[in-house]
Amino acid sequence: MSINLLVLACLVYVAFLFAVAFAVERRADRGQATWLRSSLIYTLSLSVYCTAWTFYGAVGYAARSGLEFMTIYLGPTLVFVGWWLMLRKLVRIGKQQRVTSIADLISARYGKSNTLGVIVTLLCIAAATPYIALQLQSIALSFAAFAQDLPAAHFTERQDLFALWVAVGLALFTILFGTRNLDANEQHPGVVTAIAVEAVVKLLALVAVGVFVVWAVADGPGDILGRIEAAARPEWQIQPGRWVGLIFLAGVAIICLPRMFQVMVVENADERHLATASWAFPLYLFAMSLFVLPIAVVGLEIMPEGANPDLFVMTLPMTLGQDGLAMLAFLGGFSAATSMVIVSTIALATMVSNHIMVPLWLHLRAGATARRGDMRGLVLNSRRLAICVLLGFGYVYYVVTGGSAALAAIGLIAFVGVAQILPALLGALFWRAANRIGAGLGIGVGFAVWLYALFLPSFGPGVFISAQVMAAGPFGIDWLRPYALFGVEMDPLLHALFWSLTLNAVAFIAGSLLGFPRPLERVQAAQFVNAFDIQAGTRGWSQSAAEAEDLLAMAQRILGTAESQRFFQSHAGAQGKAGFLPDTTPQFLDALERKLAGSVGAATAHAMIEQIVGRAMVSVEDLMAVASETAQIMEYSSQLEAKSAELERTARQLREANDMLTKLSVQKDAFLSQISHELRTPMTSIRAFSEILMDAEGMSDDDQVKYARIIHDETIRLTRLLDDLLDLSVLENGQVNLDVQRARLGDLLDRAVLASNSVRPGRDFVIHRDPAAEAVEVETDTGRLAQVFINVLSNARKYCDAEHPVMTISVARDGGMIEVDFADNGSGIPSDKQALIFEKFARLTDQMQAGGAGLGLAICREIMHNLQGEIAYVPGQGGAAFRVRFPQRLETEAPARALSAA
Amino acid sequence: MGKRVLVIEDEANISEAIRYILSKDGWEVDTHADGADAAARVSAAPPDLLILDVMLPGRSGYDILDALRAAEATRALPVLMLTAKGQTADRERAARHGATRFMTKPFANADLVAAARAMMAPT
């Protein structure tokens, strides 16, 4: 077959892919590509995992190591079957945060640290370089296989030239597809569809070769199984340690590989596609792996000794004269290689432009305002440049390593490299305490170990690491030998995997535990770890045509209907549009934001508009601002609440004080009115009789004496009233000076009885006493106590209405208190009056009979308060009964009772 | 003259002073100290002039006045109210209850005589 024909086939195939991609992009731009964003396309695009390594290399791998190649399929299968645990969250967060790459995800989670973004980008480039080289090598090898008719001298040279042309072609292809325009969501429906087509082609090619081998070369499955058993070699023995390690490695790779992240998360159109892919993708992998061993076994039988088993898929049909099948196999391998290179370089170019070139450019041109057009051009050009550079790296790696290494080995080196992202990624999704220091340290340490123990040695002794270091360690330090760190000797791949990930994880955890996350990191940590509790998100991806209407609806909620409509109408008018819905230009959004900010604050207004417009996800800074504004509002609110409660308390106190004052005022008025009455009454008599005596002509001497006596008595009455008022005032204000003395209770009662005898002296008044009980020493203001006794006894003498009044005085002791009861045998005080008798001027009976001002019991009550005791009316004793209760020993240290109830 | 005046006053000394003053002026003076049966006493033998204290034991002067004004026989009876609470509010209250005249304690003896005479003047 002519090499020219091969090149022509390639060009036609590429043109076809380009047409597919172009058509899809066109439809997507018109919004008609919904069927293309299906779970089928999504699943097929995931097959970018199956590179030329898988297509060619798996057969070679099987030929060399038996079933071990299956591990590369088993790892991803396990991850997808268990998609609910990890992938679902990854995709959800990717959408919520509008993540553009795995470097972006790590950077966003750890406080938008660009340093981390740069580290991850560099790691991914380093890991992808050999991988891209692998694809170039496979295409070059396959070209070379077709070019065997050329002179041998040109072989190696031609192969390198092939590789160079392939690299250039792929760069062009990727630039055309991947950087055609700057998509807001970093999604490339055209590329994804082309990848899906390639997925079908590579599967068809492999299955076609497999069917040919099983049914045309061998005699069906039974024969093949027999041949496989016969071909079994000692090195095909399953090594459990290597199996576990490789399954783990492949599982990690499918999560961490930049190109997998690109198709799985960034290009994902609907989270539900993941559910379909969880069973469909393992099925695809199963189909891809089904014929690997048969092809390998038959190839080993038929192909001459020394033939490269990596190329059996293509060389086997070629050797058997099936040129058409060989061509299909070539296109399958070409598909596998190109899809990987295209997606990888797109993903890596995005990282390079977003994390390295644009920040660098902005840094260099700090201060200069970047116009939108400039930025777009910058981003696209930086990506184009990155694609060229990355393919250049791949080509250089291919040339330097001489294209001699087995395909599978190169792929595994790349896997271990990207696996260094795993600890930081797991921490990002599941561990809130993980921070950027830990992530940076972990990835950095893992990166270094990977470089030293696997990547650099892969160039071969003498290129980066000398044979002497490989054998004896740097500076002769034995435990630092790249393939035997800390003296542990094992399979170099597993060795590097083990040490890089172990040290990585230790550094990550230690850094996270020892470092303090910034506030931004805390917020992001919460958003990532609790991704499923956050409701907002997916909406931001779809651009709504009803944007202006949504904005109006929102504005109405905040500004009110009339105000909002006026605002929208005026802006629509300014744009030359009728109605209420202006175009959502940046100017309009700015104005609206400022308008809303007046009502709800700047951060919230910004966040609300962004939520509806969906141009950019609400940034963490915005959320922080919202949070702090909200916190401030809450603080103000709680302060206001406290103030309000305080005011309420004050108001209640004022109300109570006012009520009290009003009551006091009423009482004062009533008291003054009473005083007036009590003073005017004797003064009326005094004035009347003195006027009578002034004109005493013809009046008998007896009458004159009688009237003079009345005047005399009334002045005494007045004086006593004034004395009582002063006494009461002093007692009520607690200003009384108590004259504490010791005395026998009986003596005090004797004094009181004697003093009260002057009241109604002519009347028979029997008093029963209990001298034994009265023989008790008291220490109090004896004068005041006697005053109370006199008042009670006098009242009894005045008011007892019994025909033969009898007073019984009994004494009881209750702890340190003494109770003296005075009970007469009268009709007593009616129960409705009992509460009144201790009030001022509460005279129940006739004025003259009482002969006092009605202050006596009020004074008694105040005296007893001052003596830390009390006086009370005791109902149900057959007559009027008063109980005087006081402490036997007055505590003089205790302050005298202050103002009693007025 | 020889007009009959009834004094309803619980303060014995004041009652005695009024009795002396008006007797000297030629009035026939009766005194009564209790509020409770005062209205009945008046109705039984209406005097020409009633001098009524406000603060009485048993029944207040206002209540007694209300009862007298409600009865046909005593509707037009001249009543001079005496009170020791000399505020304006008390004066108005007395007028509202139908008192003919109002005097605050203490009073000048001459004023009492003049008031009593004036109330007997033909209208």
Side-chain angles (χ1 to χ4, degrees), chain A residues 384-587:
Chain A
R384 286 167 189 148
L385 182 64
I387 287 166
C388 294
V389 170
L390 287 164
L391 278 164
F393 279 172
Y395 177 73
V396 168
Y397 184 93
Y398 162 73
V399 171
V400 170
T401 55
S404 56
L407 296 177
I410 300 178
L412 289 173
I413 289 170
F415 275 18
V416 177
V418 295
Q420 302 312 317
I421 301 171
L422 184 73
L425 184 65
L426 286 178
L429 300 189
F430 299 108
W431 190 30
R432 285 186 72 153
N435 65 30
R436 71 184 196 291
I437 295 165
L441 273 179
I443 294 174
V445 167
F447 192 7
V449 173
W450 172 70
L451 281 177
Y452 180 70
L454 194 62
F455 182 72
L456 295 182
S458 76
F459 287 91
V463 179
F464 285 101
I465 298 179
S466 68
Q468 202 227 331
V469 170
M470 291 301 295
F475 315 111
I477 302 168
D478 188 58
W479 57 272
L480 278 182
R481 276 179 296 151
Y483 281 162
L485 288 171
F486 308 107
V488 177
E489 303 232 22
M490 54 169 148
D491 180 274
L493 184 83
L494 292 184
H495 170 268
L497 177 67
F498 173 76
W499 281 120
S500 61
L501 270 187
T502 302
L503 296 175
N504 178 336
V506 166
F508 171 61
I509 292 169
S512 293
L513 291 179
L514 297 176
F516 291 98
R518 292 176 298 177
L520 199 60
E521 277 185 84
R522 290 177 192 273
V523 171
Q524 286 293 78
Q527 291 220 334
F528 274 60
V529 176
N530 305 326
F532 293 113
D533 304 331
I534 297 166
Q535 291 305 307
T538 48
R539 194 163 179 276
W541 290 83
S542 58
Q543 202 94 0
S544 167
E547 207 166 78
E549 203 173 338
D550 287 349
L551 284 171
L552 179 59
M554 177 199 68
Q556 283 180 348
R557 285 209 307 274
I558 294 167
L559 303 172
T561 309
E563 176 75 4
S564 305
Q565 285 177 354
R566 211 163 32 243
F567 181 79
F568 273 66
Q569 196 171 22
S570 74
H571 276 266
Q575 290 176 0
K577 291 181 73 177
F580 296 97
L581 300 178
D583 290 329
T584 52
T585 60
Q587 290 80 9

Side-chain angles (χ1 to χ4, degrees), chain A residues 568-699:
Chain A
F568 273 66
Q569 196 171 22
S570 74
H571 276 266
Q575 290 176 0
K577 291 181 73 177
F580 296 97
L581 300 178
D583 290 329
T584 52
T585 60
Q587 290 80 9
F588 169 71
L589 292 178
D590 257 348
L592 180 61
E593 190 182 313
R594 275 199 304 277
K595 183 96 176 163
L596 292 176
S599 298
V600 294
T604 309
H606 189 61
M608 292 185 88
I609 288 181
E610 279 196 340
Q611 208 168 24
I612 287 176
V613 175
R615 296 261 160 82
M617 188 71 181
V618 177
S619 75
V620 178
E621 284 84 351
D622 292 335
L623 285 174
M624 292 290 289
V626 170
S628 81
E629 259 181 43
T630 310
Q632 274 180 15
I633 288 168
M634 279 167 68
E635 198 178 318
Y636 286 143
S637 154
S638 75
Q639 280 175 2
L640 282 176
E641 231 165 74
K643 274 244 154 51
S644 152
E646 198 183 310
L647 281 174
E648 211 170 283
R649 206 160 43 241
T650 310
R652 195 174 55 242
Q653 284 168 348
L654 280 173
R655 209 159 42 237
E656 281 168 3
N658 189 47
D659 288 350
M660 177 73 90
L661 284 173
T662 307
K663 208 184 285 177
L664 281 175
S665 170
V666 169
Q667 283 181 349
K668 189 202 70 181
D669 286 349
F671 182 64
L672 284 177
S673 179
Q674 280 284 354
I675 298 270
S676 167
H677 183 263
E678 298 302 324
L679 290 173
R680 280 167 186 271
T681 300
M683 271 161 45
T684 304
S685 299
I686 291 167
R687 182 171 179 182
F689 283 111
S690 47
E691 281 184 20
I692 288 167
L693 287 175
M694 283 174 350
D695 182 21
E697 211 176 321
M699 189 187 290

Side-chain angles (χ1 to χ4, degrees), chain A residues 285 314 406 582 675 744 843:
Chain A
L285 291 179
M314 193 177 67
I675 298 270
R744 222 172 53 86
R843 211 168 21 224

Side-chain angles (χ1 to χ4, degrees), chain A residues 234-259:
Chain A
E235 62 264 33
W236 285 19
Q237 279 290 316
I238 291 174
Q239 301 171 39
R242 230 179 117 80
W243 268 66
V244 170
L246 289 176
I247 289 174
F248 172 73
L249 182 58
V252 172
I254 199 152
I255 296 167
C256 297
L257 277 169
R259 70 172 189 279

Side-chain angles (χ1 to χ4, degrees), chain A residues 121 159 169 200 273 285 540 591 648 736 757 868 893:
Chain A
T121 301
Q159 194 175 325
V200 174
H273 293 170
L285 291 179
E648 211 170 283
V736 64
N757 277 345
Q868 295 160 28
E893 300 83 35

